[in-house]
Amino acid sequence: MSQAIEKTLRDSAAMRWTALLLLALAMFCSYIFMDILSPIKDLMQETRGWDSTAFGTMQGSEVFLNVFVFFLIFAGIILDKMGVRFTAVLSAAVMLVGACVKWYAVSDGFIGSGLETWFTNNLNYIPVFDDLGVSPFYQGMPASAKFAACGFMIFGCGCEMAGITVSRGIVKWFKGREMALAMGSEMALARLGVATCMIFSPFFAKLGGEVSVSRSVAFGVVLMCIALIMTIVYFFMDKKLDAQTGETEEKDDPFKISDIGKILSDSGFWLVALLCVLYYSAIFPFQKYAVNMLQCNLTLTEPGADSFWASPSVTIVQYVIMLLVAAAGFASNFQKKANMKYTLLGISILALITYCYMGFMRQTAESIFAVFPLLAVLITPILGNYLDNHGKAVSMLILGSLLLIGCHLTFAFILPMFKGSAVGGVIVAYATILVLGASFSLVPASLWPSVPKLVDAKVIGSAYALIFWIQNIGLWLFPLLIGKVLDATNPEGTSATELDYTAPLVMLACLGVAALILGFILKAVDKKKGIGLEEPNIK
């Protein structure tokens, strides 16, 4: 009887995984909105006059306040002082506000409004920021892109706050248990948002035969409302846990600046943070241009208007098959019976082949790139489970860097060689995208569970905030750089689907090389200092 009384929600596998699901669904929705304009870059140029520089500047603005106003540092302090549940709800509310602003910026209602006139005539020069070359706006930037950037900045504050909150929440519910598996599973589900965005953003933009980019963003706004609901449900669940354990959300010890000093003085922390910024800078900014890159390097022939492959229903069918790939592959990791495990794995592989065939028949770059997270969903739980029981986190980071380098160089030099080959180009694209997704899954499964090994539990929120802040520098810089490099290496007036992406892709591959070098250094430091990064999480 006493054991039943002492049992908490955290001790119940069903309850702690339910808490994880609520947080993961909120991140799933935020991932969709984060890249909501990425698969329709060409439509933004055609309907709103956004060239690559305007597009890249707007995309990079998402993390501007986090980097240059240090909002992420404040977010970490809020998290440490106010706790997971308060910060989760706050982050979702902030994301929703930013999403609404961005939606209005690209809507038809903005065109010809007083706001459009104001943004056209203002924010063309911002003292200090322009002098340093880091302004989120520039002379000649379309007014809609400026206002969208403002909304994206607000969204970015909430999104990155949510990121550190989810990481802290998982530590709270899973410490001493299957933490790497939980973090990997959360990211696997959240990354389905990337595929969802790639499939449905163009779907809504072109729905009914009339192009309207604001419909895509409105779809994202609805999802951010759902994310807010998920965090509110989590709020009450987490509150009940604290009531059972006697824990309090507020910290007994006040936050001190010296805490940040302790974190920053650790060489292991810096290596993890730099690995994070290099690796994520080679992935997230690439996602924002990947569909357009495929449009420029693949030979795609649009199916006839009366064809099934051009109908709206094929989008729904393909998405259902995608969910089957993810669900069957993910569930196969948790089966104890071999026959059930391999049956689910077989279903997942067959569904993946079917999905790829449908993507080829649809002849759209967005449906091809949407395969990006699917292999990650399948193998991330495997990697997380392996790390929990066997370790080797740094070794996985090194492997991830090698795969990253190979994928970007393949996109840069091998994929263009298949231009004109309808089948060959798509096969190379699919294989490279799947491997890149697998590479991406190595990072969250190995990197994030390593942070609690590096810092004191009292300042985990601040540690995650600092890592995210450093990461955000890259997420601000590289979308902007890719856009500028594209405009600089392509003749003025080049069609949005005829750009040469070689230079930006080589730049991203170089980030992978730097990450690879740091991975070897981190492995040496871990061995010398005995940090335990290569050791299993479950003792």
Side-chain angles (χ1 to χ4, degrees), residues 19-241:
L20 176 72
L21 181 62
L22 292 170
L23 293 173
L25 284 173
M27 293 306 296
F28 169 81
C29 294
S30 70
Y31 266 55
I32 293 175
F33 193 86
M34 187 188 304
D35 280 319
I36 201 69
L37 295 182
S38 299
I40 54 174
K41 176 181 181 291
D42 57 326
L43 299 181
M44 297 308 300
Q45 181 168 335
E46 293 170 8
T47 64
R48 294 296 184 269
W50 295 13
D51 60 12
S52 294
T53 298
F55 183 82
T57 302
M58 191 286 302
Q59 294 283 36
S61 69
E62 178 195 355
V63 295
F64 181 82
L65 295 178
N66 292 322
V67 173
F68 296 105
V69 188
F70 305 104
F71 182 81
L72 256 177
I73 307 301
F74 297 121
I77 297 173
I78 292 170
L79 178 57
D80 281 334
K81 294 290 288 182
M82 302 303 294
V84 173
R85 58 177 177 266
F86 172 86
T87 314
V89 175
L90 177 62
S91 63
V94 172
M95 284 193 287
L96 179 57
V97 171
C100 291
V101 172
K102 186 173 180 179
W103 166 76
Y104 183 69
V106 299
S107 70
D108 292 337
F110 181 76
I111 300 174
S113 67
L115 269 176
E116 182 184 35
T117 302
W118 191 90
F119 274 93
T120 299
N121 297 329
N122 294 277
L123 301 179
N124 295 312
Y125 174 78
I126 302 177
V128 180
F129 288 115
D130 266 293
D131 296 334
L132 294 174
V134 298
S135 175
F137 314 108
Y138 61 87
Q139 179 74 41
M141 185 176 182
S144 58
K146 288 182 185 176
F147 194 38
C150 292
F152 213 24
M153 287 179 204
I154 298 171
F155 170 84
C157 289
C159 187
E160 298 304 321
M161 185 193 294
I164 60 173
T165 302
V166 168
S167 297
R168 177 66 174 272
I170 293 174
V171 170
K172 179 177 182 178
W173 283 79
F174 285 87
K175 190 169 186 180
R177 296 176 175 85
E178 54 282 85
M179 187 164 64
L181 176 60
M183 286 191 172
S185 299
E186 180 271 324
M187 286 307 300
L189 179 58
R191 288 209 184 100
L192 281 177
V194 178
T196 304
C197 170
M198 296 301 161
I199 289 177
F200 282 106
S201 180
F203 172 79
F204 284 110
K206 300 173 183 177
L207 191 63
E210 180 183 350
V211 173
S212 174
V213 294
S214 65
R215 279 198 300 261
S216 296
V217 185
F219 165 65
V221 171
V222 171
L223 291 175
M224 294 320 303
C225 292
I226 296 173
L228 179 58
I229 294 171
M230 293 296 101
T231 57
I232 291 173
V233 175
Y234 174 82
F235 179 97
F236 290 104
M237 192 172 178
D238 192 78
K239 188 175 183 180
K240 184 175 181 180
L241 173 65

Side-chain angles (χ1 to χ4, degrees), residues 39 44 81 92 167 203 232 240 272-273 307 331 336 350 358-359 451 471 481 491 502:
M44 297 308 300
K81 294 290 288 182
S167 297
F203 172 79
I232 291 173
K240 184 175 181 180
V272 169
S307 168
K336 294 182 180 179
L350 286 173
M358 294 186 72
V451 177
Q471 170 190 316
L481 279 181
T502 304

